[in-house]
Amino acid sequence: LFLAIGLLHEHVPPPSAEAVAFLGQFQDLGLLSPLIFVGLGALLAFAVQSSSVALVLTLALCGTGIISYSSGAALVLGENIGTTFTANIAALAGNVWAKRAARAHLLIKLVGVGGALLLFRPLLTGVSELTGLLHGADPRTDADALQWALTYWHLGFNVINGAVLLQFVPWIEMTVARW
């Protein structure tokens, strides 16, 4: 993944400011901003059909200063939801078990993103502090640290979400079976 990120950064020109300038208007809307960026992240991951590619694009947007650390973090949350859409569409042609697995994946991501949004500011601060400790720079002001912070954000979200929701497997199973 890091090799791909490096190659994309070296060989793919950053998006033009005009092409993504509209994103700036959504950054200062208070509590609505993270929700908008979660939605945009879900659409982005669905469009490129890969959360890894969407993460690379998010890193590029943040690295060039087009969007901020918090907007990038919200995009990453949305990308985690968007990556489940392809599996759910593919499961439409599958059996009941394929549909349940795809729905469970979606439900796990939706619950995780909901929890992350409830704790959004403290989690951003925690990842920022961790990045500062490990890299000696603040992701809000240093583009290199920002890329690490979003990588930690993505990894931390998935590990913590999986560990917490592992405790609720029976509830998840019951919910997707009814769904």
Side-chain angles (χ1 to χ4, degrees):
L1 179 61
F2 290 114
L3 176 62
I5 290 170
L7 290 172
L8 282 172
H9 254 310
E10 289 176 22
H11 301 291
V12 176
S16 69
E18 297 83 28
V20 291
F22 74 96
L23 293 174
Q25 67 185 338
F26 301 120
Q27 292 194 105
D28 297 318
L29 300 176
L31 295 175
L32 191 58
S33 289
L35 295 175
I36 290 170
F37 279 96
V38 165
L40 290 171
L43 290 173
L44 176 63
F46 177 67
V48 298
Q49 298 183 3
S50 167
S51 62
S52 297
V53 171
L55 177 62
V56 170
L57 292 172
T58 301
L59 292 174
L61 290 171
C62 289
T64 57
I66 294 171
I67 61 172
S68 67
Y69 169 52
S70 61
S71 298
L75 269 176
V76 169
L77 292 176
E79 291 161 5
N80 276 283
I81 295 171
T83 194
T84 68
F85 294 162
T86 306
N88 275 279
I89 291 170
L92 291 174
N95 62 22
V96 67
W97 299 107
K99 289 178 175 92
R100 287 180 181 174
R103 290 175 185 158
H105 188 205
L106 176 61
L107 180 63
I108 288 166
K109 297 296 184 167
L110 287 172
V111 169
V113 167
L117 285 173
L118 287 175
L119 300 170
F120 194 62
R121 293 292 169 205
L123 290 173
L124 278 178
T125 301
V127 171
S128 179
E129 295 290 324
L130 174 67
T131 305
L133 285 172
L134 295 175
H135 300 279
D138 185 353
R140 294 177 183 100
T141 58
D142 184 287
D144 291 331
L146 173 63
Q147 292 180 359
W148 281 107
L150 290 178
T151 302
Y152 298 145
W153 176 265
H154 182 70
L155 177 65
F157 169 79
N158 284 295
V159 169
I160 293 169
N161 188 41
V164 169
L165 291 181
L166 188 60
Q167 311 306 310
F168 298 96
V169 168
W171 174 81
I172 293 168
E173 180 183 11
M174 179 185 66
T175 302
V176 298
R178 286 185 184 166
W179 193 354

